[in-house]
Amino acid sequence: MQKTIKEDMGWCRQDGSFEIPQCVHRDEYFGLEFKLDNGQDKKMVSKDGKVHTGTVSVRQLDADGNTDPENEWEAVCKDGSNNFAAGAICRSLGFKQGEHIELSKKLKQATESKTTDGKTTDGSAKLNWGWTNFACDFDDTLPQSRHCRATRYEEARKQMGLKALCFGFDVMAVRCFESTAFNVNVDVRFSKKKISCNAQATKRQNRINLGAEDLQVKFLLDDVEIETEVKFNRKRGFSTKYSLKNIDFNCLSCELYMEDILFAKGEKCSDDEKENGEDDNKENGKNEDDKKEVEKMATKKMAQRKRTKKRVKKMTIKKMAKMKMTKKMAKRKRTKKRVDK
């Protein structure tokens, strides 16, 4: 069965179109597995190690999800493609949406070495062209939806001749993300003398520098605004120097405004801080125990090394003594022979 993003369920769209799973005979079924090559660019990898941006490779799977040795990874040509197709590829990789991107320098170097005949610099086989003219009609499908279409590269060459030729710079590259919306996560922290409000904004996997925007930031103690000077640092976010010593409060919050409209808020309560402190103390206690254990092991190893050195010394002294004795014995024999002559 060719599934939808809702597995074996279908749905209707507002324009009257619909998306449903498709039943395919086992002998005729094939699946498509996609992967992204980021050209070893760490910026294209999320914190959990998942590649979200890169050039697209694809290979065919059988009805059991296995690969045939003859079905190698193939390159996808971006000719005739659209962003809906990029979204379909990204959804097959576990993301929600996607878009086409231009090849960066690192991606160009990676693709130019992989889409021609022969071997790559590391000895692996270079990719052949597999698919072209991959496009979809809606931005909620998987690649094998009936609303998506693609042409095998060989077929396109037969139909269009030289017009269907693809080159290294034609490799499809996509950026995958969870949402097209503007998302802001706010982390509020405080000490006795300082309050910080680190707001991280993203849109389509791109980080946005909020310091470049005309923002108003407010710090509040139990919903009462603090009159203080706010500074911005790109890494640490917004911060202010404010003494919280001898001030009794429940929660401290940070509000971000753009054109007098509240668009993000973060909060930190003293109970959370206590819980974190307890967790930190437990963690520190564990760390101390670990350190002591490591120190014991190190002491044992040092003692063992010393004992080994002593043994080696004794052995070498005995060997040296034996060698001296054998030399003396040999000398005496030579002397005796001379005397006898």
Side-chain angles (χ1 to χ4, degrees):
M1 179 187 289
Q2 300 286 9
K3 296 181 179 181
T4 69
I5 57 172
K6 296 184 180 181
E7 297 292 329
D8 56 354
M9 293 177 63
W11 70 92
C12 296
R13 300 185 183 91
Q14 290 183 350
D15 63 357
S17 63
F18 55 90
E19 193 72 23
I20 56 172
Q22 300 177 69
C23 294
V24 184
H25 193 276
R26 185 178 179 85
D27 295 337
E28 297 176 1
Y29 177 91
F30 71 90
L32 292 176
E33 181 184 5
F34 291 87
K35 72 173 180 178
L36 302 181
D37 181 3
N38 64 329
Q40 297 183 341
D41 190 342
K42 293 180 181 178
K43 292 179 182 178
M44 298 179 181
V45 182
S46 57
K47 289 181 180 178
D48 59 359
K50 202 173 180 180
V51 178
H52 58 72
T53 304
T55 55
V56 180
S57 302
V58 63
R59 65 178 174 180
Q60 292 187 21
L61 306 175
D62 62 21
D64 297 316
N66 300 320
T67 57
D68 190 320
E70 294 180 5
N71 294 328
E72 300 288 341
W73 287 104
E74 297 174 314
V76 181
C77 183
K78 68 180 179 182
D79 288 357
S81 188
N82 61 8
N83 278 336
F84 291 166
I89 291 168
C90 289
R91 278 184 284 279
S92 75
L93 294 170
F95 297 93
K96 291 183 179 177
Q97 291 175 304
E99 64 182 2
H100 283 291
I101 61 166
E102 293 298 321
L103 293 176
S104 65
K105 285 184 179 180
K106 285 188 178 181
L107 291 181
K108 275 182 183 178
Q109 289 170 359
T111 54
E112 284 171 1
S113 67
K114 286 185 178 180
T115 53
T116 52
D117 296 331
K119 297 282 182 181
T120 58
T121 52
D122 61 0
S124 59
K126 293 187 177 182
L127 300 184
N128 294 316
W129 292 108
W131 298 87
T132 186
N133 298 321
F134 179 31
C136 298
D137 299 325
F138 299 98
D139 197 18
D140 58 6
T141 62
L142 291 174
Q144 288 178 271
S145 163
R146 65 191 186 92
H147 292 291
C148 293
R149 57 209 162 272
T151 310
R152 288 295 298 171
Y153 184 67
E154 297 88 350
E155 291 297 319
R157 286 291 312 278
K158 288 176 184 177
Q159 295 170 13
M160 301 172 63
L162 293 176
K163 289 183 179 179
L165 272 177
C166 292
F167 302 91
F169 52 81
D170 289 320
V171 173
M172 184 188 289
V174 301
R175 179 190 294 117
C176 301
F177 39 86
E178 295 301 325
S179 172
T180 56
F182 175 64
N183 296 311
V184 184
N185 294 318
V186 182
D187 180 28
V188 180
R189 300 194 177 194
F190 60 85
S191 62
K192 290 180 180 179
K193 295 182 179 180
K194 192 176 181 181
I195 308 168
S196 66
C197 174
N198 193 355
Q200 299 291 339
T202 56
K203 185 174 182 181
R204 296 184 177 180
Q205 212 72 35
N206 296 303
R207 292 186 71 174
I208 299 164
N209 181 10
L210 292 175
E213 305 298 328
D214 187 17
L215 300 179
Q216 296 85 46
V217 182
K218 293 181 181 179
F219 288 100
L220 301 96
L221 277 174
D222 293 333
D223 297 327
V224 178
E225 186 179 352
I226 302 169
E227 295 294 333
T228 182
E229 184 182 352
V230 179
K231 293 183 179 180
F232 177 78
N233 179 287
R234 191 165 183 176
K235 288 184 178 178
R236 299 173 186 171
F238 301 95
S239 63
T240 183
K241 289 183 179 180
Y242 191 84
S243 178
L244 295 170
K245 195 175 180 180
N246 300 325
I247 296 178
D248 187 25
F249 66 93
N250 292 320
C251 294
L252 192 152
S253 56
C254 166
E255 296 180 348
L256 281 78
Y257 293 83
M258 185 178 286
E259 298 178 357
D260 296 326
I261 299 171
L262 175 67
F263 72 90
K265 181 179 178 178
E267 189 175 64
K268 187 79 170 179
C269 295
S270 52
D271 292 338
D272 297 336
E273 197 70 20
K274 285 176 184 176
E275 286 176 11
N276 291 337
E278 288 173 5
D279 292 339
D280 290 341
N281 290 335
K282 285 179 184 177
E283 192 65 32
N284 291 334
K286 285 181 182 177
N287 292 337
E288 286 296 325
D289 293 338
D290 291 340
K291 281 180 183 177
K292 285 178 182 177
E293 193 66 32
V294 170
E295 284 175 4
K296 281 183 182 178
M297 291 291 290
T299 310
K300 282 182 181 179
K301 282 183 179 179
M302 286 294 289
Q304 194 173 358
R305 282 176 187 169
K306 284 180 180 178
R307 288 195 295 271
T308 308
K309 278 183 180 179
K310 283 181 181 178
R311 285 174 193 163
V312 171
K313 262 189 178 181
K314 284 180 181 178
M315 291 289 288
T316 50
I317 288 166
K318 284 181 181 179
K319 281 183 181 179
M320 290 292 288
K322 280 183 181 179
M323 284 174 71
K324 283 180 181 179
M325 285 295 292
T326 50
K327 281 181 181 179
K328 283 181 181 179
M329 289 291 289
K331 196 173 181 181
R332 282 176 187 172
K333 281 181 182 180
R334 285 197 298 271
T335 308
K336 198 175 182 182
K337 280 181 183 180
R338 285 172 193 166
V339 171
D340 292 341
K341 284 179 181 179

